[in-house]
Amino acid sequence: MLKAFLTERRSWIAIFVLQQILFLFIAYVDASIPFTSILYMTYLSSFIFIVFVIVRFRKETKFYKSLEEWDHNLDVTNIREAETPFETMIEKSIAEQTKQLKQEAAQHRLALENEKDELMAWIHEVKTPLTAMHLIMETIEDQSLKARLAYEWLRIHLLLDRQLHQKRMSFIENDLSLEVLELKPMIFKEIKDLQSWCIPKGIGFDIQLEAGEVLSDAKWLSFIIRQLLTNAVKYSEASDVLIKSYEQDGKVHLAVQDFGRGIDPKDMPRVFDKGFTSTTEHHDQAATGMGLYLAKKAAKPLLIHIEVDSKPGTGTTFTLIFPMRNEFSRVLGV
């Protein structure tokens, strides 16, 4: 700040120094003027000028220091009150711009809320014809056609479900309802919903649940498990998906292991990145790269840690590590 202050007033300092040099030069060349007296006056005026600069520095930089320390969070109350006309002009300009930005931010926020509400309403409306389509498919006698339609119907259903949860993600903390959950019925429901994908691919499930209960939110935990299961089914062919739960170090672990193509080591750090769909050959050109990203994002407020272990050609294991019950005091705000 001192360097900026001196740089800003370098012309004033330069003119003062030049004046002192001029006075000394005149006293030096003009014998009628006592040089010692002029030198003494120069010393006194220089001392006074230095004191003046120090005082002005302390006084004038208070306002600019408050600007420098401002968090730029549209809250101008932390900025020091202006004392000079120029500071007043700056303060007024910042206040007006901040007010305008707040108004624009409020308008954008309202527009986003309206868009989100409209999208969620649309998703709920689309579910009605989807339900009707599912009932109609049950009446189809051609099993091959029925299986193909069920496969595509499930794709649409899961995409709509993912979009709905993605829009709810921004206020997930307000949507949590913690309770003791049985893992077995929750997992079996998700497996049943995926039957139209699993049967054509010859995929079965090996379920080994040593730890049967967890404390979590039913809706969001189901969403996370759904993403892991769909990911396992998508990259498996004619093999079982192993689902097992166990307790380790006082925490429940739920592992979903497939025996598919696996993940390239260079892709491992990016599997949870938004929109990432692997750098290897894609078997599913419709992949969005959102499932694991949303699962990781939903797991965070539930204090669930997700680990991934994979080897190319041997399969992938995603493990949900649930927190101990006393750790939920942070979620509940206790």
Side-chain angles (χ1 to χ4, degrees):
M1 185 62 73
L2 176 61
K3 182 180 180 181
F5 177 81
L6 295 176
T7 302
E8 178 70 20
R9 287 153 181 80
R10 61 183 179 272
S11 58
W12 296 72
I13 296 172
I15 194 66
F16 173 81
V17 172
L18 288 174
Q19 283 181 338
Q20 305 311 307
I21 293 174
L22 179 62
F23 292 154
L24 290 174
F25 176 74
I26 293 174
Y28 178 77
V29 298
D30 190 345
S32 63
I33 301 176
F35 182 80
T36 305
S37 299
I38 297 299
L39 183 62
Y40 181 67
M41 291 177 61
T42 301
Y43 168 77
L44 286 178
S45 59
S46 299
F47 177 76
I48 294 172
F49 180 74
I50 292 172
V51 172
F52 172 77
V53 169
I54 294 173
V55 172
R56 295 308 302 175
F57 169 76
R58 295 172 61 88
K59 183 177 179 62
E60 294 182 19
T61 56
K62 290 179 181 179
F63 176 77
Y64 297 103
K65 280 182 179 179
S66 67
L67 282 181
E68 190 176 43
E69 296 170 358
W70 184 36
D71 292 332
H72 305 285
N73 55 1
L74 301 184
D75 182 10
V76 295
T77 57
N78 294 328
I79 299 178
R80 187 180 180 85
E81 187 176 353
E83 297 180 359
T84 67
F86 284 137
E87 290 178 1
T88 302
M89 291 172 59
I90 295 173
E91 183 182 45
K92 183 179 179 181
S93 177
I94 292 175
E96 290 177 351
Q97 292 182 34
T98 301
K99 182 180 178 181
Q100 183 178 353
L101 287 174
K102 284 182 176 180
Q103 291 175 347
E104 292 178 358
Q107 292 173 357
H108 290 312
R109 192 179 302 112
L110 180 60
L112 286 174
E113 287 293 328
N114 290 335
E115 182 181 352
K116 181 182 68 177
D117 292 341
E118 291 173 1
L119 180 58
M120 292 179 68
W122 179 82
I123 291 173
H124 284 294
E125 289 177 4
V126 170
K127 284 186 175 182
T128 301
L130 273 180
T131 303
M133 288 172 60
H134 193 270
L135 294 174
I136 294 172
M137 285 190 303
E138 294 297 324
T139 64
I140 298 176
E141 296 181 359
D142 187 334
Q143 295 301 316
S144 175
L145 175 61
K146 184 177 179 179
R148 293 200 303 270
L149 288 174
Y151 180 88
E152 297 303 332
W153 180 91
L154 182 58
R155 284 174 60 90
I156 297 173
H157 173 74
L158 291 176
L159 287 171
L160 287 173
D161 178 77
R162 184 185 298 171
Q163 186 67 36
L164 183 63
H165 282 81
Q166 183 178 354
K167 290 301 177 182
R168 287 175 174 169
M169 197 77 69
S170 58
F171 50 89
I172 183 174
E173 288 82 1
N174 301 326
D175 193 39
L176 295 180
S177 177
L178 301 179
E179 57 183 318
V180 177
L181 303 172
E182 290 282 347
L183 287 174
K184 186 174 181 179
M186 183 178 296
I187 292 172
F188 272 69
K189 179 185 179 301
E190 297 302 328
I191 292 174
K192 183 179 179 182
D193 291 342
L194 293 174
Q195 280 183 346
S196 60
W197 280 14
C198 299
I199 294 175
K201 299 182 72 174
I203 295 174
F205 291 89
D206 181 8
I207 302 175
Q208 304 173 12
L209 301 179
E210 297 177 8
E213 293 183 348
V214 293
L215 179 64
S216 193
D217 178 88
K219 179 168 64 270
W220 287 102
L221 179 56
S222 295
F223 174 75
I224 295 170
I225 293 174
R226 192 177 308 133
Q227 304 313 306
L228 299 186
L229 290 179
T230 54
N231 193 75
V233 171
K234 183 185 298 183
Y235 298 110
S236 298
E237 291 290 343
S239 62
D240 284 351
V241 174
L242 175 61
I243 304 173
K244 60 181 179 180
S245 67
Y246 54 92
E247 190 170 329
Q248 181 177 318
D249 299 328
K251 296 183 178 181
V252 175
H253 292 57
L254 177 64
V256 177
Q257 181 179 2
D258 68 68
F259 300 93
R261 72 185 190 188
I263 303 173
D264 194 297
K266 69 180 181 226
D267 292 341
M268 288 289 285
R270 304 172 60 190
V271 293
F272 295 108
D273 289 355
K274 185 176 182 179
F276 181 70
T277 59
S278 162
T279 57
T280 57
E281 180 183 356
H282 293 292
H283 296 280
D284 184 5
Q285 297 298 328
T288 62
M290 294 296 293
L292 294 178
Y293 164 76
L294 292 174
K296 182 81 170 181
K297 195 171 181 181
K300 185 177 181 181
L302 290 171
L303 304 185
I304 298 173
H305 179 63
I306 305 181
E307 290 185 348
V308 56
D309 181 51
S310 181
K311 293 181 180 179
T314 61
T316 304
T317 302
F318 285 94
T319 304
L320 302 180
I321 303 176
F322 294 85
M324 291 184 285
R325 296 192 180 185
N326 56 4
E327 293 182 49
F328 269 110
S329 59
R330 285 186 290 156
V331 176
L332 300 173
V334 179

